[in-house]
Amino acid sequence: MATTKVSATILGAGEPSHTYDAIVIGSGISGGWAAKELCEQGLQTLVLERGGHIEHIEDYPTAHKEAWDLPLFGEMSAEFRAANPVLSRCYAVNQATAHHFVKDAEHPYQQRKPFDWIRGYQVGGKSLMWARWVQRWSDFDFESNARNGVGVDWPIRYQDLAPWYSYVEKFAGISGNRDGLPQIPDGEFLPPMEMNAVEKHFKQSIESQFPNRHLVMSRTANLSQPHKGRGPCMYRARCARGCPFTGYFSSNGVTLPAAAATGNLTMRPHSVVHSIIYDEQKQRATGVRVIDAETKAVTEYFARIIFVNASTLNTTLILKNSTSERFPNGLGNDSGVLGHYLMDHNYRARASAEVEGLEDRYYYGRRPTGTYLPRFRNIFDDKQDQYIGGFSYSVGAYRAQGNVDEGDAPLGAEFKHKMSEVGPWRINMTGMGEFLPRFDNKVTLSKDQTDAWGMPLLNMDCDYSDNEHHMTRDIRDSAAEMLEKAGYKNIQTVDSEQAPGLAIHEMGTARMGRDPKTSMLNGHNQLHAVPNVFVTDGACMTSSACQNPSLTYMALTARAAHYAVDQLNKRNL
Ligand SMILES: Cc1cc2nc3c(=O)[nH]c(=O)nc-3n(C[C@H](O)[C@H](O)[C@H](O)COP(=O)(O)OP(=O)(O)OC[C@H]3O[C@@H](n4cnc5c(N)ncnc54)[C@H](O)[C@@H]3O)c2cc1C
Ligand code: SF4
């Protein structure tokens, strides 16, 4: 597999060696796709990444470690949790993965209202740690704002994106089943991973008792069979450490090597993009200002097109920080909506239960995904009075480790013996609720505090509305009802009341729309007011739907990159 060319030198501003055809800011899920598509179409492309380089496979130090090789068997220490209250709330952080996550004190931000901002600053961004669930959006989602009278209408529909979903799925390698459900259209799938015995039972129970409710295998960016020289997945559920078999999709393992193979990629880690340079005469962006993360030296790079893929909130920070006479409130911000309409998903409501029976059944390995119960509210004939929008669930059944009753555990040899037996079946459901776009949910730049690189701190001001509160109750109660009707026991429900941000699906703040007066980006993710700047990460999202969003960022990015090159070739940019 080709390795990435890493640029090590900084030359003076304006040197020819600082001029490229395209610049991509950020090397995570969306930046990796932008780099691949632009490089493959022949553009000399510079990727600027604020974090350090992570070489695929070589730089995954914990990939083969067992629990006993890790301090505290992988648990984070009390000291770590006290020093990192935000990061410690993220379920994926442990001794084997923590090095991929930004620590609280390293990159502070302000919280007018509580907001858990989970980040990964390195080559590959959060593509190294993500959970890889990738359901397509449908027209229920692209039409939702118009139908419900919230936010603005999306400038695109499912048909605009469908070929690009196929395009990215075929390259990324997505396992899944063709379920024929209009709310999560089918895609280009490798064979699905398998449901276990309890999940099959739950599927049968739901589908026979509730019209329009289904349980399917999550479509997942893990390889169920070898694909384009990668994988397959070995069923170890250790993905957030980095995969030595390239069994899941990451920028490091998939898109960046493809970009590097063209010979057109220059990757520059440790490069904090400070702002985008705007030329008032040309009415175009001409380049970017960069602060070296290690030396703090400032330099500039130039290109004909710029893709901003720093992840929703950092993209917004860069745009807001890019002021000029023409754009005193941030690049392209004629509408005043930059920073507004921040969304996340609502992951607050959960339910779990014990399952009796099927004790003679087990499952193969550690499947790195789960099952998915797609949206059934406020579509088809369902109409809720108390809220608009919909929700889905992630669902997983498993056998407890050790056949020990926690309240009445035996001691000594018997305890050891019981721990070697498999425990009873349990099942969990976690809701993923739509979060409405609201003007009041916003990020602004701090007026008095900057970070170690001189960038203003972001100030988060985002909260749930009554719509999300009502939906949370329905997510909780509907889960309990389905578990009860399946005959499961000791059902427990919880509203975690967790702050926005912790779903790690932050979206909006530079939304797409048809009207430059009310949106930042047009239907090709191009700034209405600066057509050679494209924003294709979560900042572009106009609504949040209730599917995991990253596949949609990938499809939007590939589509925009092809459009950008076409426009360059026609000399429109
Ligand atoms: C534990 C976890 C589980 C998740 N599970 C799922 C899932 O199952 N399905 C799903 O769809 N999504 C999931 N996500 C979310 C998913 O990871 C993000 O949606 C996705 O990574 C966003 O892609 P991105 O390119 O916008 O940002 P990132 O992947 O975060 O990449 C952004 C990059 O930009 C860099 N950067 C930031 N600021 C600057 C700057 N000023 N200059 C230069 N570079 C900069 C960062 O260092 C980073 O490398 C999960 C995330 C986590 C952490
Ligand atoms: S579970 Fe599969 S994809 Fe994940 S790290 Fe292990 S082998 Fe790789």
Side-chain angles (χ1 to χ4, degrees):
M1 195 166 289
T3 55
T4 310
K5 185 167 71 185
V6 179
S7 154
T9 52
I10 307 176
L11 304 173
E15 294 284 334
S17 60
H18 278 209
T19 302
Y20 295 82
D21 297 323
I23 288 173
V24 177
I25 306 172
S27 63
I29 289 186
S30 62
W33 272 101
K36 171 184 171 305
E37 298 310 315
L38 296 171
C39 285
E40 286 183 346
Q41 291 176 92
L43 268 55
Q44 289 291 327
T45 303
L46 172 68
V47 176
L48 294 164
E49 165 55 54
R50 72 170 301 151
H53 186 63
I54 300 233
E55 188 63 35
H56 181 50
I57 301 177
E58 272 174 40
D59 291 337
Y60 302 147
T62 56
H64 292 294
K65 287 213 170 15
E66 301 300 336
W68 49 88
D69 298 323
L70 297 164
L72 301 173
F73 277 76
E75 291 295 314
M76 298 317 292
S77 66
E79 291 80 9
F80 179 93
R81 286 200 296 273
N84 295 280
V86 170
L87 184 56
S88 299
R89 285 193 279 274
C90 173
Y91 74 95
V93 174
N94 57 52
Q95 297 274 5
T97 61
H99 55 287
H100 286 154
F101 290 88
V102 166
K103 312 300 174 300
D104 290 14
E106 289 170 355
H107 297 281
Y109 59 97
Q110 299 176 335
Q111 301 178 62
R112 185 164 179 171
K113 294 187 185 138
F115 188 94
D116 290 334
W117 192 16
I118 309 296
R119 291 157 286 168
Y121 289 171
Q122 60 239 327
V123 167
K126 297 194 293 286
S127 78
L128 284 171
M129 313 92 89
W130 71 313
R132 309 161 306 281
W133 290 42
V134 283
Q135 336 300 335
R136 287 188 183 198
W137 288 30
S138 74
D139 269 338
F140 290 117
D141 309 305
F142 290 108
E143 291 172 2
S144 68
N145 280 3
R147 199 174 44 245
N148 294 322
V150 296
V152 292
D153 190 13
W154 279 87
I156 56 170
R157 289 292 182 264
Y158 176 68
Q159 282 314 319
D160 297 307
L161 216 48
W164 296 100
Y165 277 129
S166 294
Y167 181 84
V168 297
E169 284 166 346
K170 276 187 205 156
F171 191 74
I174 309 295
S175 65
N177 192 45
R178 297 181 66 82
D179 300 296
L181 302 174
Q183 63 273 52
I184 47 164
D186 290 336
E188 314 289 334
F189 299 141
L190 305 176
M193 294 188 167
E194 205 187 339
M195 287 187 185
N196 63 41
V198 165
E199 290 160 352
K200 283 179 186 160
H201 174 262
F202 194 41
K203 175 180 172 71
Q204 194 276 333
S205 165
I206 292 169
E207 293 178 1
S208 61
Q209 299 185 74
F210 297 92
N212 285 326
R213 297 194 200 181
H214 303 269
L215 191 68
V216 302
M217 273 314 297
S218 173
R219 288 88 188 256
T220 307
N222 283 79
L223 302 180
S224 54
Q225 66 184 33
H227 182 67
K228 297 186 186 293
R230 300 166 38 212
C233 171
M234 301 288 172
Y235 285 66
R236 312 170 332 137
R238 290 180 174 177
C239 310
R241 306 171 180 202
C243 181
F245 312 100
T246 324
Y248 75 91
F249 174 89
S250 67
S251 303
N252 312 59
V254 184
T255 43
L256 293 176
T262 64
N264 293 331
L265 174 70
T266 301
M267 166 70 74
R268 194 178 190 290
H270 299 299
S271 301
V272 183
V273 173
H274 168 276
S275 51
I276 297 170
I277 303 162
Y278 180 72
D279 186 316
E280 312 258 346
Q281 304 293 314
K282 293 182 184 155
Q283 299 182 12
R284 294 283 187 273
T286 50
V288 295
R289 235 165 259 119
V290 171
I291 304 167
D292 188 283
E294 295 178 312
T295 65
K296 308 221 170 122
V298 180
T299 190
E300 293 176 346
Y301 292 93
F302 306 94
R304 291 190 289 162
I305 52 171
I306 298 170
F307 269 68
V308 197
N309 296 98
S311 197
T312 301
L313 297 177
N314 276 314
T315 283
T316 306
L317 169 55
I318 293 167
L319 293 174
K320 274 189 167 282
N321 208 32
S322 305
T323 52
S324 58
E325 217 165 287
R326 165 71 180 85
F327 295 113
N329 300 315
L331 190 72
N333 190 17
D334 289 337
S335 60
V337 301
L338 179 61
H340 293 270
Y341 301 101
L342 172 60
M343 301 166 279
D344 187 28
H345 277 135
N346 167 14
Y347 270 35
R348 284 167 37 185
R350 291 165 207 162
S352 63
E354 289 168 9
V355 182
E356 288 173 358
L358 298 167
E359 276 86 13
D360 58 337
R361 307 292 295 280
Y362 199 65
Y363 39 82
Y364 166 74
R366 300 188 189 107
R367 189 188 62 195
T369 186
T371 64
Y372 181 78
L373 203 160
R375 174 178 181 176
F376 53 90
R377 288 299 193 212
N378 289 321
I379 52 174
F380 309 123
D381 296 334
D382 186 89
K383 179 92 188 77
Q384 298 298 303
D385 303 330
Q386 294 212 297
Y387 65 85
I388 53 179
F391 58 85
S392 61
Y393 294 99
S394 62
V395 182
Y398 63 96
R399 294 200 72 166
Q401 203 176 6
N403 194 11
V404 174
D405 179 349
E406 277 179 21
D408 188 22
L411 294 172
E414 199 189 342
F415 177 73
K416 232 172 155 178
H417 174 70
K418 285 280 188 190
M419 282 305 289
S420 69
E421 295 176 357
V422 285
W425 283 100
R426 295 195 61 81
I427 187 163
N428 290 332
M429 301 179 76
T430 304
M432 182 184 341
E434 188 163 353
F435 197 114
L436 294 186
R438 292 170 53 236
F439 183 82
D440 290 347
N441 284 332
K442 61 181 181 300
V443 289
T444 50
L445 299 192
S446 168
K447 292 192 173 56
D448 51 11
Q449 276 190 285
T450 53
D451 67 11
W453 297 268
M455 301 273 284
L457 297 194
L458 269 183
N459 186 311
M460 317 295 194
D461 184 2
C462 179
D463 209 348
Y464 303 107
S465 69
D466 279 348
N467 201 72
E468 286 87 42
H469 292 310
H470 288 305
M471 190 190 285
T472 302
R473 286 192 273 281
D474 189 22
I475 297 173
R476 182 194 63 195
D477 296 346
S478 298
E481 185 191 12
M482 285 185 273
L483 293 170
E484 194 182 347
K485 288 211 171 175
Y488 303 154
K489 300 284 183 296
N490 196 11
I491 295 164
Q492 297 183 343
T493 59
V494 65
D495 173 358
S496 70
E497 296 186 2
Q498 67 192 39
L502 202 54
I504 327 178
H505 291 169
E506 60 274 22
M507 282 177 267
T509 62
R511 68 184 179 191
M512 294 168 75
R514 294 195 185 87
D515 186 349
K517 291 197 193 72
T518 56
S519 61
M520 290 286 293
L521 305 164
N522 68 14
H524 290 282
N525 296 76
Q526 215 171 0
L527 281 180
H528 284 296
V530 192
N532 66 334
V533 175
F534 293 80
V535 177
T536 64
D537 60 17
C540 76
M541 303 298 273
T542 309
S543 67
S544 73
C546 58
Q547 293 92 312
N548 312 69
S550 305
L551 182 75
T552 300
Y553 308 163
M554 298 188 209
L556 286 168
T557 303
R559 177 172 176 268
H562 283 253
Y563 176 79
V565 175
D566 179 57
Q567 292 298 301
L568 268 184
N569 291 339
K570 290 179 177 152
R571 302 189 178 280
N572 289 340
L573 290 180

